[in-house]
Each structure stands twice: as C-alpha cells, then as structure tokens.
Amino acid sequence: MSTYRVAEAAAPGGSFRIVEREVPQPGPGHVRVAVDACGICHSDALFVDAGVPGVEFPLVPGHEIAGRIEALGEGTRGPKVGDRVAVGWFGGSCHHCTPCRQGDFIVCENLKVPGWAYDGGYAETVIVPEDALAPIPDSLSATDAAPLACAGVTTYNGLRRSSARPGDLVAVLGIGGLGHLGVKYAAAMGFETVAIARGSDKADFATQLGAHHYIDSTAGTGVADALQALGGAKAVLATAANSAAITATVDGLVPRGELVVIGADTEPLGISPNQLLLQGRIVRGHPSGTAQDIQDTLAFSVLHGIVPMAEVVPLDDADQAYKKMLSGAARFRMVLTNR
C-alpha cells in the first residue's frame, strides 16, 4: 500500500499533527498533484477554527498549492502527467449556478476552496478538479509560485480590475503578506504608488518594494489628509485586516475614486453615505481569482521579477509555521515544502 503524509488538525482550533494516509486515485475530471510547496494563508484560520459552515475534521487546510501532476482521472482533457501547476483559493467551480453560467466563476455559489471543499495542500499529495489548475512558468520556483496563487492573484487582480490607470495615484494599505505584493504590482503596473503602514520605520522598506511615497498611519496628519496632499488616490487597495484603518482612507480618494477591500475583518466599516454620495466614490470587495487569473498573475510576476518574501519550512513544521503566521511574526509568507 502506498501512503502519503498530511498535516491535519483533529479538532477546531487544534494543533497540527503529521499522519499517513493511503494514496487516493483521482476521480473523473480530477488530477492528483504531488505538492512541492504550499503557502500558509491567514484565511486558513477560517477553516481550522470552524469559522465557516460545512468544515469537517480532521482537516487538512492549504489553498496556495504548487506541485506536479502525477495521475489523471478519467475524462481530463488538458493536463498531462508531469505538468507543473498551481491551485489557489479557486479550487474549482460547479459550472451550473447563475454566476458560473455568466462566466463569473470566482463567485460560484458552490466554490470549491481547497481545505474546505476537499483536503488542501498541507500535504504531500492533493486531489483537485481539472478547472482549478494554472500552469507554472518554468522560471518560477514552487515556493514562489504557491503564495502567488492566492496572495498574488488577489492583489494583482484587485489592482488591474480597479478604475485606476497607469500614472494614477494608487495607495496600498498595509505592507504585510498581501500588501508587500500589492506595492510591487502597483509600481510594475505604472501607478504612482503610495504605501500606507504603521510607523515611520517602514518607510525604507516601502521604497525597496517600489513605492514612490510612504504614509505613516500613526502620524498626526491622518491618512486621508496625507493622500489628498499628494493629489488624492484614484484607488486604495486595502490589504490590512483592520476596518478602522480601511475606513480612514475613504476621504483620501478623488471624486469617483475606488476603495478595493481585500483585507478580511469581522468589524463593520465606519463609512457614511455622504462620504460616497457627494464624491461618487465606490467601495467594493474583491475576491481572489480563477485559474486563468492565477496564470495571468504568474506570467506578469515573471515578466517583472516579482516574487513573494517568504519563510520556507518543511511540512513537518506545519504547526509551528501556522502559529507563527497567526502571531503576525511571519515575514511575510510562511511556505511549507516537501522538497
């Protein structure tokens, strides 16, 4: 009997343990992927803590997967054994709900998120639907590609689908796991890029990422006033999971400017209708991206030399790595590897 190892949580909020399971065979329309690397995303906590319905334990999270196809299920048409592929938050769609029929697969009503709909990438092997696969360019390592399949595509898509155009002032709130990539993408897209974070000590780092300006959110002037002093932002990409900090950027937008929220917080935003109505401002949430969006993200990243800043650790250290991510001490993505 052939086996593989996974890092699983036995109960909600529990620690991870390494266990062996029998290697499964992919069903129709699915493939088996040998996982080379898997990023640890803060959203994994939604599943580990049973914060969403339908979570079953023991749980194997992980939706920032990079690996190689090692077996094909019946009826697969595109992938081949040996192909290097990435899988992100988009782990497959149902193809029959209204959003899917409209071609908006990332908001599928039955979206299959790895680690929720099926076992995720904290493992040596994972079974995924064919439509979740994005090819990895040869020049991109698995440990770089894995975080780009979620953190990368979310920030890249959030920016390219905003109303901002090259030359516009665009601000990125937060320069952590999501935000450090957001600043890199914004600069590469030709935006006049503003990084916003807490403390004056992050200014040099923001410049290294490619930011043209830095705003210390703890300074007395206030974020909105600081943005307006620069001419006002056409778009703000809010990566920080802090509703108060997100709210503080709204008045820094130009008329018809856009606040794009990708940082998840359970607290409501404190925005009044008048802040939006009088200036025609827009506030929208932005989900991750489909397999095609991931493919676009990886290609753009290779073209501009954009890779995540990550700490790479073996699968055996999944519990320590997950806790380091939760504590906020990771700089800036934790990535598990099997190679």
Side-chain angles (χ1 to χ4, degrees), residues 55-93:
V55 176
E56 296 182 357
F57 291 84
L59 175 84
V60 182
H63 58 267
E64 294 185 346
I65 303 167
R68 294 156 288 116
I69 296 175
E70 59 180 11
L72 304 173
E74 182 181 354
T76 54
R77 292 172 292 181
K80 299 179 179 62
V81 171
D83 286 353
R84 298 178 68 232
V85 293
V87 181
W89 179 267
F90 178 84
S93 55

Side-chain angles (χ1 to χ4, degrees), residues 17-209:
R17 63 187 183 189
I18 303 296
V19 300
E20 289 194 359
R21 298 182 179 180
E22 185 175 353
V23 173
Q25 295 303 311
H30 288 65
V31 304
R32 188 173 73 231
V33 175
V35 178
D36 292 326
C38 183
I40 298 178
C41 179
H42 200 278
S43 297
D44 291 336
L46 286 173
F47 313 130
V48 176
D49 295 338
V52 292
V55 176
E56 296 182 357
F57 291 84
L59 175 84
V60 182
H63 58 267
E64 294 185 346
I65 303 167
R68 294 156 288 116
I69 296 175
E70 59 180 11
L72 304 173
E74 182 181 354
T76 54
R77 292 172 292 181
K80 299 179 179 62
V81 171
D83 286 353
R84 298 178 68 232
V85 293
V87 181
W89 179 267
F90 178 84
S93 55
C94 72
H95 303 289
H96 62 75
C97 69
T98 297
C100 281
R101 287 167 61 86
Q102 293 173 336
D104 200 358
F105 300 105
I106 190 58
V107 289
C108 169
E109 294 173 1
N110 305 290
L111 189 66
K112 303 168 187 175
V113 181
W116 185 5
Y118 52 83
D119 285 344
Y122 290 21
E124 293 176 332
T125 291
V126 63
I127 302 288
V128 301
E130 179 182 8
D131 66 330
L133 303 174
I136 298 175
D138 291 339
S139 59
L140 199 60
S141 72
T143 51
D144 285 338
L148 295 180
C150 179
V153 70
T154 302
T155 51
Y156 174 75
N157 250 7
L159 289 166
R160 74 165 173 170
R161 297 192 176 185
S162 75
S163 57
R165 295 296 177 262
D168 287 339
L169 189 79
V170 169
V172 178
L173 173 64
I175 52 176
L178 288 169
H180 85 284
L181 287 170
V183 172
K184 289 184 177 185
Y185 285 130
M189 289 177 182
F191 301 135
E192 184 179 352
T193 303
V194 184
I196 306 171
R198 294 177 58 85
S200 59
D201 57 318
K202 297 183 177 69
D204 288 343
F205 176 60
T207 300
Q208 293 169 21
L209 293 174

Side-chain angles (χ1 to χ4, degrees), residues 1-13:
M1 180 181 70
S2 180
T3 62
Y4 72 106
R5 299 186 311 145
V6 305
E8 67 174 27

